[in-house]
Amino acid sequence: MIAILHVGPSERASAWQAEFRHALPEVEFRCWPEIGDARDIRYLVAWTLSPQLIAALPRLEVLFSIGAGIDQLDLSLVPEHVRIVRMIEPGITTTMAQYVAASVLALHRDLPFYIEAQRRGGWTQLPTLLCEERSVGVMGLGELGRAALTMLAPLGFRLRGWNRSPRRIEGAECFSGAGELDAFLGGTDILVCLLPLTDETRGILSRDLFDRLPHGARLVNAARGGHLVEDDLLAALDEGRIASAMLDVSQVEPLPQDHPFRTDPRILVTPHVAGVTRIETAVHTLIENLRRDLAGQALPGEVDRKRGY
């Protein structure tokens, strides 16, 4: 017997269990805490981990993250021999690209300013720029970053991308490494962060980075709250260095009721909804990955622990 253990909401568990019975009957789909014989469980799919969960699975071989990132997983709990795989599925990719496009347009057309004007009864018009008159730079050119640039391309923005290692993307000017970061930032009017959260990228959205953007740049953070030094953003907004921001993530989630981001008119906040793992599509990615593993093939999204993604 080969089994996969699911840890998470019952709605998702029920839907995925039914799909497994139909599409991959040779792998039994089990739901925590009803694990049955733990010796059967070679695969685990979860959002977070506990010591009790990992200790209960002596034959675990592959851990599948529910999301596109793995920073929410305490990897110190996971034995070195266990492979870790990020979720790469159409639902996450499409919803993230749509969120980035909507956020970029919202900041490009000054929606934070107009929403605040509506709230206080104002009627002031700002100068309107064409998309062609602004550049959008995406930090992080993995699956999500590339999809975001593809979604933005028909709008006419001047597109740029930055990545740790070199990438070539049609229609976008690409930069890589620390040596090209200044050049990337200096020509970016709207900055989009889609980086993985690692020791290297934690706190990267800071005063030092903001100072290298054009004055009055705009910021979209749809990656992780750990990328942003929140006090530095507030200071940059006060100084006019950053004109406005769209934030889907924060250091603490849910965002505390008394957090200044909640009431700052220059910031639009959403509750970590940018890229959504869809029950209907993610299960097919999971099933395909299990088929690949059973056939001895490589797994898309497998994580290099040394890099952290």
Side-chain angles (χ1 to χ4, degrees):
M1 173 67 68
I2 298 174
I4 182 172
L5 180 65
H6 171 274
V7 180
S10 58
E11 177 189 8
R12 184 174 66 211
S14 298
W16 286 10
Q17 192 170 51
E19 192 64 35
F20 263 76
R21 289 192 186 117
H22 171 72
L24 198 65
E26 62 267 36
V27 176
E28 186 173 27
F29 191 96
R30 299 177 185 174
C31 304
W32 177 266
E34 304 299 325
I35 69 173
D37 188 342
R39 293 172 297 179
D40 299 336
I41 299 173
R42 288 170 47 182
Y43 305 103
L44 170 65
V45 55
W47 174 248
T48 57
L49 305 173
S50 68
Q52 295 80 9
L53 172 62
I54 296 300
L57 306 176
R59 295 189 177 179
L60 182 63
E61 296 180 8
V62 184
L63 166 61
F64 293 100
S65 171
I66 289 293
I70 62 163
D71 55 279
Q72 78 284 356
L73 297 170
D74 184 353
L75 298 187
S76 68
L77 300 175
V78 184
E80 285 295 326
H81 72 273
V82 175
R83 298 154 67 196
I84 302 165
V85 181
R86 299 182 296 109
M87 179 66 75
I88 300 177
E89 64 98 9
I92 293 177
T93 304
T94 300
T95 54
M96 178 62 80
Q98 291 172 342
Y99 182 92
V100 169
S103 299
V104 166
L105 282 172
L107 299 184
H108 168 63
R109 293 304 306 267
D110 297 301
L111 286 195
F113 173 85
Y114 290 119
I115 290 170
E116 172 61 10
Q118 177 185 355
R119 187 194 65 79
R120 57 181 171 77
W123 192 264
T124 302
Q125 296 177 347
L126 297 178
T128 299
L129 297 182
L130 298 174
C131 293
E132 297 92 300
E133 297 176 276
R134 274 208 173 99
S135 61
V136 178
V138 175
M139 297 184 77
L141 300 179
E143 183 85 12
L144 300 181
R146 295 194 302 271
L149 287 169
T150 298
M151 188 73 70
L152 288 166
L155 299 175
F157 290 105
R158 302 192 303 271
L159 299 179
R160 303 157 66 82
W162 181 87
N163 202 65
R164 176 183 176 181
S165 54
R167 294 283 191 275
R168 292 174 61 91
I169 298 175
E170 185 177 355
E173 184 180 8
C174 292
F175 302 80
S176 62
E180 296 183 0
L181 183 56
D182 280 356
F184 166 76
L185 294 172
T188 295
D189 299 316
I190 302 177
L191 178 66
V192 179
C193 181
L194 290 176
L195 291 165
L197 183 61
T198 66
D199 290 341
E200 287 185 357
T201 64
R202 187 176 297 277
I204 193 171
L205 301 177
S206 64
R207 172 177 289 275
D208 175 65
L209 181 142
F210 299 149
D211 285 347
R212 290 183 274 173
L213 291 166
H215 193 81
R218 294 109 201 269
L219 172 67
V220 178
N221 186 16
R224 289 291 189 265
H227 289 114
L228 177 64
V229 181
E230 296 180 347
D231 287 344
D232 285 4
L233 174 60
L234 292 170
L237 288 164
D238 289 341
E239 296 163 4
R241 171 63 63 186
I242 300 295
S244 56
M246 185 89 175
L247 307 177
D248 186 55
V249 289
S250 56
Q251 293 279 1
V252 177
E253 296 181 1
L255 192 66
Q257 288 296 324
D258 60 351
H259 196 287
F261 285 179
R262 283 190 176 270
T263 54
D264 194 310
R266 301 161 298 186
I267 300 174
L268 298 181
V269 174
T270 51
H272 206 141
V273 295
V276 181
T277 301
R278 293 179 55 82
I279 292 176
E280 301 85 351
T281 53
V283 65
H284 301 296
T285 296
L286 184 60
I287 287 172
E288 179 58 27
N289 259 339
L290 261 67
R291 285 178 173 148
R292 292 179 66 91
D293 188 65
L294 292 171
Q297 299 174 353
L299 302 181
E302 184 165 354
V303 170
D304 180 336
R305 289 205 191 191
K306 292 181 180 179
R307 293 191 305 175
Y309 58 92

